[in-house]
Amino acid sequence: MPVSVLELFKIGIGPSSSHTVGPMVAARRFALELKKRGILTRVKRIQIDLLGSLGATGRGHCTDSAVQLGLRGDQPDQIDPDKISNILNVIKTESQIDLLSEHQISFTPAKDICFIADEIHPFHPNAMRFWAKNKVGEDLLCETFFSIGGSFVIKEDEQNPSAQKTKTESALPYCYSNAKQLLELCKKHKFSISDLMLANEVARGISEDQLREKLLLIWDTMQSCVARGLETEGLLPGCLKLRRRAPSLHRLLQENPTLTQHDPLAGMDWINLYAIAVGEENAAGGRIVTAPTNGAAGIIPSVLHYCFHILQDTNDDRIIRFLLTAAAIGSLYKENASISGADVGCQGEIGVACSMAAAALAEYRGGTPVQVANAAEIGMEHHLGLTCDPIAGLVQIPCIERNAMGGVQAINAARMALRREHQQFVSLDAVIETMRSTGSDMHAKYKETATGGLAVNVTEC
Ligand code: SF4
């Protein structure tokens, strides 16, 4: 069942969609459930167990901060990122938290949030267990949630995907579950991929005007994110003490136009710059559009900025179409494989974002649905097997530069697909299935646990 464009692109905070935004959403859902059952005011203690990958890299990904915010009732798209550290300091120094800003209890983050890396839930490596206890220590409620990538969250009793199918979704006029069906529908109805996606979105109950408004807000948020990344100096949080490089690279490019005057690939510097600016904002916990994850959030904005500043042929309609096409492709990965680094490695984050951006750019530049699917396929094919091995569990190295690489590769993938004269050999469905099975075979140390790859071969803090 296709996922909505508004679910694949969501406004939130850095540094991680699965390890920050998802846990924040889960914690809020738990607190709301306590309220719904009428037991919120009987709660005296909350304990949170962060299992598997959340236990292994949760500190570097700010999972502990995120669950505290969620318990307070904060929402990822509404909280002001500049106020977060103050909120967390108050909780820590007062050893108290206000559940949904309604009921205050004692809470000591270092004691009440447990990182349990070696307990891996069989359903998904990003599991969280929330406990609420009364004044004599009895359980009032215990619930397990999974953060399954791209800030999507499900509860233990929602594991069966068919149980999640809503009435609206089953009424979609152009339902597809793989790329082959998507292309057949486009051919039959003489649709572009964005046409088909738009028709499905409207059938979900949103007007075209409302959808436009929401997607332009997404684009506006991406632009603000790039702008902040270009001007914010200093060190990124965490023990690596990594210096932000986007501002100095920006100055270098602006002040030295001759540097790239006779270089036909000069645009690459700018694509790198836009992607790094987003990656650094994400690493700093700033306002981010999940696209389709936070770790890979720089790729789609960098390619859109390429259209806006380098091709200089954008308008609102073309931006909206770009996002719709990207989402149609992202949905295929979400439904048939995974967009979680903890589940399938970085191929599910950087690889998927590259594939989405390549497809969207191919349609933007006049490609047919077949060429769009081919661009998506190329964008993923050369990321197959890409591991997730963030140094010190921070979404910084290799993540930030990897966005720059993904942005440039997306543009190249679209170009190759558009220039192709013969039918492609590998289908998009085949590469998605290969990504899924490669991820399933991948050793756990390469799946967002910071126990393999660069995370162990580079001296960190
Ligand atoms: S290595 Fe890739 S998947 Fe892992 S945290 Fe970084 S961007 Fe996300």
Side-chain angles (χ1 to χ4, degrees):
M1 186 67 58
V3 180
S4 165
V5 63
L6 299 174
E7 287 185 273
L8 278 162
F9 295 112
K10 281 182 292 229
I11 298 170
I13 53 166
S16 169
S17 42
S18 56
H19 287 51
T20 318
V21 183
M24 189 170 165
V25 170
R28 183 168 179 271
R29 276 183 66 182
F30 182 69
L32 287 170
E33 185 63 31
L34 290 168
K35 183 175 177 179
K36 189 173 140 202
R37 294 182 185 216
I39 52 177
L40 185 73
T41 51
R42 289 170 54 204
V43 176
K44 282 285 174 249
R45 189 177 168 224
I46 296 271
Q47 185 191 320
I48 304 139
D49 294 340
L50 303 173
L51 311 181
S53 174
L54 296 177
T57 60
R59 284 191 181 86
H61 287 53
C62 304
T63 313
D64 45 348
S65 309
V67 292
Q68 293 173 64
L69 297 170
L71 289 175
R72 277 171 32 95
D74 291 319
Q75 299 187 62
D77 60 332
Q78 287 168 26
I79 190 162
D80 179 349
D82 294 334
K83 295 195 172 140
I84 291 176
S85 80
N86 190 36
I87 294 170
L88 296 172
N89 270 338
V90 172
I91 296 173
K92 191 175 165 193
T93 51
E94 295 183 356
S95 292
Q96 287 196 322
I97 193 165
D98 242 342
L99 301 178
L100 296 178
S101 302
E102 289 179 27
H103 176 58
Q104 199 170 62
I105 59 165
S106 297
F107 188 81
T108 308
K111 182 166 69 77
D112 294 323
I113 302 175
C114 305
F115 293 87
I116 310 173
D118 55 6
E119 185 178 337
I120 316 283
H121 196 286
F123 176 68
H124 197 281
N126 291 338
M128 291 155 274
R129 215 166 25 221
F130 292 85
W131 310 78
K133 296 178 188 287
N134 65 13
K135 63 181 177 193
V136 292
E138 291 166 344
D139 289 349
L140 289 171
L141 184 65
C142 174
E143 289 189 317
T144 300
F145 292 83
F146 305 99
S147 181
I148 59 172
S151 75
F152 288 87
V153 168
I154 57 173
K155 214 156 66 168
E156 198 159 31
D157 56 5
E158 298 166 350
Q159 287 175 36
N160 177 5
S162 59
Q164 298 174 51
K165 198 197 286 187
T166 66
K167 236 175 160 179
T168 314
E169 281 173 329
S170 41
L172 290 184
Y174 305 105
C175 206
Y176 60 92
S177 53
N178 56 41
K180 185 168 181 271
Q181 291 171 5
L182 173 63
L183 291 178
E184 282 168 0
L185 283 168
C186 287
K187 189 174 176 187
K188 182 172 169 194
H189 298 283
K190 297 192 172 33
F191 275 168
S192 65
I193 288 178
S194 60
D195 286 335
L196 184 141
M197 193 70 181
L198 178 61
N200 276 345
E201 293 298 329
V202 170
R204 288 179 209 269
I206 189 169
S207 74
E208 210 173 314
D209 283 349
Q210 288 168 329
L211 183 68
R212 277 177 67 86
E213 199 178 308
K214 285 178 186 289
L215 292 180
L216 290 175
L217 177 63
I218 294 284
W219 167 229
D220 191 53
T221 309
M222 287 177 174
Q223 289 177 288
S224 304
C225 180
V226 169
R228 267 195 325 277
L230 295 184
E231 67 189 27
T232 311
E233 305 268 4
L235 302 182
L236 292 173
C239 61
L240 297 180
K241 307 272 180 254
L242 207 63
R243 183 160 294 284
R244 285 179 180 248
R245 62 209 264 205
S248 57
L249 177 56
H250 191 211
R251 276 194 300 278
L252 182 79
L253 296 178
Q254 276 187 320
E255 292 166 10
N256 299 281
T258 52
L259 194 70
T260 52
Q261 217 162 36
H262 303 294
D263 178 356
L265 295 180
M268 275 173 61
D269 288 329
W270 288 93
I271 296 152
N272 291 338
L273 175 67
Y274 301 133
I276 288 171
V278 175
E280 291 179 345
E281 272 302 291
N282 179 56
R287 172 69 69 229
I288 286 290
V289 175
T290 301
T293 67
N294 280 22
I299 294 177
I300 287 172
S302 73
V303 177
L304 272 170
H305 277 70
Y306 160 76
C307 298
F308 193 78
H309 292 293
I310 298 176
L311 299 179
Q312 296 186 343
D313 56 1
T314 49
N315 56 39
D316 286 355
D317 283 341
R318 298 190 82 193
I319 300 279
I320 287 164
R321 295 253 165 203
F322 187 108
L323 294 173
L324 286 166
T325 309
I329 300 302
S331 172
L332 292 171
Y333 287 100
K334 166 87 180 59
E335 294 305 289
N336 297 303
S338 173
I339 56 171
S340 159
D343 201 14
V344 293
C346 198
Q347 52 173 358
E349 298 206 13
I350 294 288
V352 172
C354 175
S355 181
M356 292 166 67
L361 183 62
E363 186 179 301
Y364 182 95
R365 305 220 69 185
T368 63
V370 169
Q371 288 172 312
V372 170
N374 184 216
E377 186 281 315
I378 297 170
M380 172 52 74
E381 187 180 322
H382 307 289
H383 283 98
L384 287 174
L386 190 67
T387 58
C388 170
D389 52 358
I391 297 178
L394 296 164
V395 193
Q396 298 180 9
I397 305 174
C399 322
I400 296 170
E401 258 180 22
R402 208 167 261 184
N403 276 275
M405 300 300 291
V408 170
Q409 279 177 291
I411 295 168
N412 198 21
R415 296 180 76 88
M416 281 201 271
L418 292 171
R419 307 267 185 271
R420 181 170 230 139
E421 291 185 345
H422 308 288
Q423 203 192 339
Q424 67 192 85
F425 205 85
V426 181
S427 71
L428 178 54
D429 286 326
V431 89
I432 292 173
E433 170 52 20
T434 307
M435 187 275 256
R436 189 204 59 76
S437 58
T438 304
S440 143
D441 291 341
M442 198 180 276
H443 194 288
K445 68 184 179 182
Y446 299 118
K447 295 197 275 191
E448 213 155 355
T449 53
T451 55
L454 284 175
V456 295
N457 288 314
V458 177
T459 316
E460 21 153 308
C461 316

